[in-house]
Structures are given as C-alpha cells and as structure tokens.
C-alpha cells in the first residue's frame, strides 16, 4: 500500500516495480526531474484524466513543463496526462501507463513491459526524495 504523499518514483521502486524502461533503470537522473525517463501517464481512480487531486502538484511543475516539452517528448500527439514519476506525490488511487521507448515516449497505444526495480545504488536511489513520508519503523 502506498502512503499518502509518497513520491510515485520512490513508491514504485520500494515495491519492486520500475518507472523506467530497459536500460533507463540504470541511466536516469535519480529523481532530479532532468532526464524524463520516468514519464508515465496518470489517471485518477475517478477517471479524471489529469490525475487532478489524486497527485500533487495537480498540474505539471516547472521541471515537468520544461522536460516534457523537449524531445523526444513534446509532440502534438503526446498525452496531456504525461507526468514525471519523480515529481508527483500520490494522494489517492491512480492508474499509470508506461509507453515503450527509452523515455516512455511512444505515442502509439503500445504499453511498455513491466520492469523490476533495480536498486543499483541501494538507499541512495531515494536520496533526492525529501517529500515522501518517512517509513514507520
């Protein structure tokens, strides 16, 4: 069960699933919001396509706006629900979809295979996550 307020990237990794495709599991920014390899489409459980209320911030932040409007993202057929898993906090039930491609940039209906989390740097994978609630001991 994901804790309310947990960063989506951290939540996925802690539960054994990767927000990154293929080699991007190793080659990524570790949560800085600069590489966009953790780009996922988010829908809230009430089918609100923007994920509004189910994730915070409700709208893309500055890092997301810059990175998701830069190639390979930013095309006119790119989903408006695309968010960076390292930049959103989960506040309610959501459904995520990951597209194929190194950056999850494919605009077809093809979904990426699910990849297991690879914690190459152990707990350092979460060092930039200063928003998720601390796990209870």
């Amino acid at each position: 069960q994901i804790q309310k307020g947990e960063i989506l990237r951290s939540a996925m990794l802690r539960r054994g699933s990767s927000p990154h495709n293929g080699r991007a599991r190793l080659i990524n920014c570790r949560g800085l919001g600069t590489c966009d390899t953790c780009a996922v489409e988010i829908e809230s459980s009430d089918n609100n396509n923007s994920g509004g209320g189910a994730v915070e911030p409700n709208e893309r932040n500055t890092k997301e706006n810059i990175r998701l409007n830069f190639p390979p993202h930013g095309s006119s057929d790119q989903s408006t629900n695309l968010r960076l898993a390292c930049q959103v906090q989960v506040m309610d039930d959501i459904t995520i979809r990951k597209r194929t491609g190194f950056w999850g940039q494919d605009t077809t209906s093809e979904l990426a295979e699910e990849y297991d989390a690879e914690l190459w740097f152990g707990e350092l994978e979460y060092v930039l996550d200063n928003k998720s609630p601390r796990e209870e001991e």
Side-chain angles (χ1 to χ4, degrees):
Q1 183 74 350
I2 294 176
Q3 295 182 60
K4 183 176 182 177
E6 200 169 356
I7 294 289
L8 180 56
R9 177 186 182 274
S10 297
M12 291 179 71
L13 291 173
R14 283 193 168 103
R15 287 154 187 85
S17 184
S18 179
H20 309 283
N21 291 341
R23 292 188 177 132
R25 290 180 295 165
L26 174 60
I27 306 168
N28 66 75
C29 69
R30 302 291 185 272
L32 281 173
T34 57
C35 73
D36 84 343
T37 59
C38 67
V40 295
E41 291 178 37
I42 298 178
E43 277 188 23
S44 66
S45 59
D46 63 2
N47 292 324
N48 179 341
N49 287 339
S50 67
V55 295
E56 288 186 4
N58 289 328
E59 303 291 325
R60 290 178 178 172
N61 65 20
T62 302
K63 287 180 181 181
E64 289 177 292
N65 277 326
I66 291 169
R67 193 60 196 100
L68 294 173
N69 283 299
F70 191 79
H73 297 289
S75 65
S76 60
D77 55 349
Q78 194 78 63
S79 171
T80 57
N81 303 339
L82 202 63
R83 302 292 301 269
L84 298 181
C86 67
Q87 297 297 303
V88 297
Q89 291 177 275
V90 180
M91 306 309 280
D92 203 350
D93 293 340
I94 58 172
T95 300
I96 62 169
R97 283 192 284 285
K98 181 72 175 178
R99 301 290 177 192
T100 59
F102 186 84
W103 290 274
Q105 77 276 12
D106 189 14
T107 57
T108 68
S109 60
E110 187 176 350
L111 297 178
E113 65 180 280
E114 185 174 339
Y115 286 94
D116 291 336
E118 293 281 348
L119 302 180
W120 301 97
F121 300 101
E123 285 298 309
L124 290 176
E125 290 286 351
Y126 313 110
V127 73
L128 296 173
D129 179 356
N130 60 0
K131 293 184 178 180
S132 290
R134 297 289 171 217
E135 289 187 16
E136 296 178 19
E137 312 234 345

